[in-house]
Amino acid sequence: KVYNTPPEQRQSRIEGDTPTIIKHFKRALEIYPDNYEALNHLATVYLKFEGEADSAILFLKKAIALDPKLQPAWVNLGMCYKFKKNNDSALICFNKVLSINPKEYKATFVIANIYSEQGDFTRAVQMNEDVMKEFPELDGPYLNIGSYYIQKGDTNMANSYWVQAAWKNTSYEVCIQLSNLYRGKGDMEKANYFYGLAGDASRQKK
């Protein structure tokens, strides 16, 4: 599975349906229009729950104007542009995230994934390999590169990267993918082995 950055926001303690939450944040902005965190929260609600990227973009641009280094707002703005399939603008946003925090590898993943979607396989792989060097404990780069190879139809290379990801983090999703890959190749011994690991991982999450 390719790593996709979700919209970022601090956890709100506000409960209720979406219209109630929107009403709350709009009320907060009536009291204090320069509340950039409320602007970011409101944008997240519009994007995540309403699918209204254009409305979210308006609030995010206001938040960024108030605080140009508000990283969650740049992430959300990038996700809005991805939602609208405007990858050029999304790249600008996620590169801005990296200029604010060069170690924010999730932004690197999103940029690499965009390059992969655009057919720049080499650049996408290189960006993930750079993350591997700096954060050797992560499974994300191996998952991403494995997915890029799947898109190219090379299941053998995908398999080799996903196996490495499984040793980094024995997750249910990765083990199931590996089990299915080996089952497709007719290697039932390895298929059953990773299926068993998937079951163990699932039980550990409960």
Side-chain angles (χ1 to χ4, degrees), residues 3-197:
Y3 191 104
N4 284 311
T5 306
E8 284 190 8
Q9 76 273 16
R10 295 180 184 176
Q11 291 296 320
S12 173
R13 294 182 180 180
I14 299 164
E15 296 181 356
D17 57 18
T18 302
T20 301
I21 296 172
I22 290 174
K23 182 179 178 180
H24 170 89
F25 283 127
K26 285 188 173 181
R27 177 58 181 156
L29 289 168
E30 288 174 4
I31 297 169
Y32 180 38
D34 290 347
N35 186 337
Y36 53 80
E37 289 194 347
L39 287 164
N40 182 54
H41 284 313
L42 186 56
T44 302
V45 173
Y46 272 112
L47 177 63
K48 188 174 182 180
F49 299 106
E50 298 293 300
E52 294 185 17
D54 290 332
S55 297
I57 287 170
L58 291 175
F59 290 113
L60 290 166
K61 286 184 174 180
K62 289 180 181 179
I64 289 168
L66 292 165
D67 183 357
K69 292 188 177 181
L70 186 61
Q71 181 177 322
W74 281 107
V75 171
N76 284 332
L77 187 58
M79 294 307 297
C80 285
Y81 285 125
K82 271 188 63 65
F83 182 85
K84 290 170 64 68
K85 301 188 185 302
N86 185 343
N87 283 335
D88 289 340
S89 293
L91 286 171
I92 291 171
C93 294
F94 287 108
N95 277 304
K96 180 63 178 180
V97 172
L98 290 176
S99 74
I100 296 169
N101 180 8
K103 293 187 178 294
E104 182 49 81
Y105 57 81
K106 293 180 181 179
T108 303
F109 288 162
V110 179
I111 294 170
N113 293 343
I114 290 174
Y115 285 137
S116 175
E117 292 168 10
Q118 294 177 338
D120 195 342
F121 173 83
T122 301
R123 192 171 187 179
V125 170
Q126 183 60 59
M127 292 188 75
N128 279 276
E129 289 177 343
D130 290 343
V131 175
M132 285 180 193
K133 294 173 185 175
E134 189 162 4
F135 302 97
E137 74 281 3
L138 294 179
D139 63 341
Y142 298 91
L143 295 174
N144 288 342
I145 296 175
S147 294
Y148 303 157
Y149 275 110
I150 284 290
Q151 293 163 12
K152 287 171 66 71
D154 190 336
T155 56
N156 288 328
M157 287 298 295
N159 180 79
S160 69
Y161 277 96
W162 282 348
V163 167
Q164 292 179 79
W167 300 149
K168 298 282 182 181
N169 177 24
T170 309
S171 70
Y172 172 83
E173 293 80 8
V174 176
C175 290
I176 282 294
Q177 285 178 322
L178 285 166
S179 177
N180 291 337
L181 271 179
Y182 281 118
R183 182 170 286 106
K185 294 174 181 293
D187 190 337
M188 295 309 300
E189 181 179 353
K190 289 182 179 178
N192 291 334
Y193 172 73
F194 281 103
Y195 187 81
L197 287 182

